[in-house]
């Protein structure tokens, strides 16, 4: 069961059916969708994806996926799941443009990584980012992710695979929490 996580300014909690419109709006925003999955998709595809969160992901407890809220409003999406690309767990996150530029992306990514280390017992967490997505690459570099390799996609684009490994500092922080 996806747990609820809290940061200084964000609440990460499982989606509820009433989040559908906000979820669809987030993924229909071209500034967000250009970096997610295979890029922009029809609204119907995003509605079907939202439905699968309940019928598949939550119903079968496949992985942790969260609605990201600030001051009660849905401002983003986050997940951590296994990935064949890295043979490990990958973080995925997105924030609405209204939440950009104030450090919430860093706060969100750090919360997901900490969950991976503390709750899931991982020793490394991956991220895959389109090479032109400089904002995410800068954010992940700032919180300790390192470049592993580049993946050339079928469309000719490049995806950067990054990893964040559990450090001695992480272990000390986890020991203080536990």
């Amino acid at each position: 069961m996806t747990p609820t996580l809290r940061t200084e300014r964000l609440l990460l909690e499982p989606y509820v059916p009433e989040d559908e419109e906000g979820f669809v709006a987030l993924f229909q925003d071209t500034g967000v969708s250009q970096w997610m999955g295979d890029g922009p998709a029809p609204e119907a595809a995003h509605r079907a994806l939202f439905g699968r969160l309940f019928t598949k992901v939550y119903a079968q407890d496949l992985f942790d996926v969260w609605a990201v809220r600030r001051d009660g409003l849905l401002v983003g999406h986050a997940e951590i799941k296994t990935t064949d690309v890295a043979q490990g767990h990958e973080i995925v996150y997105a924030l609405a443009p209204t939440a950009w530029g104030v450090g919430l992306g860093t706060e969100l990514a750090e919360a997901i990584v900490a969950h991976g280390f503390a709750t899931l017992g991982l020793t490394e967490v991956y991220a895959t980012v389109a090479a032109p997505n400089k904002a995410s690459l800068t954010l992940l570099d700032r919180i300790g992710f390192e470049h592993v390799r580049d993946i050339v996609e079928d469309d000719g684009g490049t995806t950067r695979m990054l990893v964040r490994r559990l450090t001695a500092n992480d272990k000390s922080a986890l020991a203080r929490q536990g």
Side-chain angles (χ1 to χ4, degrees), residues 20-42:
E20 182 173 0
E21 295 306 316
F23 176 93
V24 170
L26 176 69
F27 282 88
Q28 285 292 289
D29 186 288
T30 55
V32 173
S33 65
Q34 69 177 326
W35 307 121
M36 301 299 292
D38 293 325

Side-chain angles (χ1 to χ4, degrees), residues 46-166:
H46 291 132
R47 289 192 186 281
L49 177 61
F50 185 78
R52 284 193 303 277
L53 290 176
F54 297 95
T55 61
K56 189 170 183 179
V57 177
Y58 291 147
Q60 298 175 23
D61 199 21
L62 296 179
F63 56 90
D64 293 330
V65 59
W66 297 274
V68 179
R69 302 183 199 287
R70 182 177 189 200
D71 299 328
L73 300 174
L74 181 70
V75 297
H77 171 88
E79 52 191 74
I80 186 167
K81 61 185 179 181
T82 59
T83 176
D84 293 335
V85 174
Q87 301 298 312
H89 282 72
E90 174 182 28
I91 65 168
V92 176
Y93 59 91
L95 287 173
T98 56
W100 293 354
V102 293
L104 294 176
T106 300
E107 196 170 313
L108 177 57
E110 286 180 326
I112 307 166
V113 169
H115 172 72
F117 292 156
T119 305
L120 303 179
L122 304 175
T123 58
E124 56 189 19
V125 176
Y126 292 89
T128 53
V129 180
N133 188 347
K134 300 299 183 202
S136 265
L137 290 170
T138 299
L139 180 159
L140 293 169
D141 178 66
R142 191 171 46 245
I143 65 169
F145 277 78
E146 299 172 357
H147 180 259
V148 175
R149 66 182 170 101
D150 287 343
I151 302 163
V152 178
E153 302 294 348
D154 292 340
D155 66 1
T158 301
T159 297
R160 298 263 159 90
M161 184 194 306
L162 310 167
V163 67
R164 165 85 190 276
R165 292 182 175 86
L166 183 67

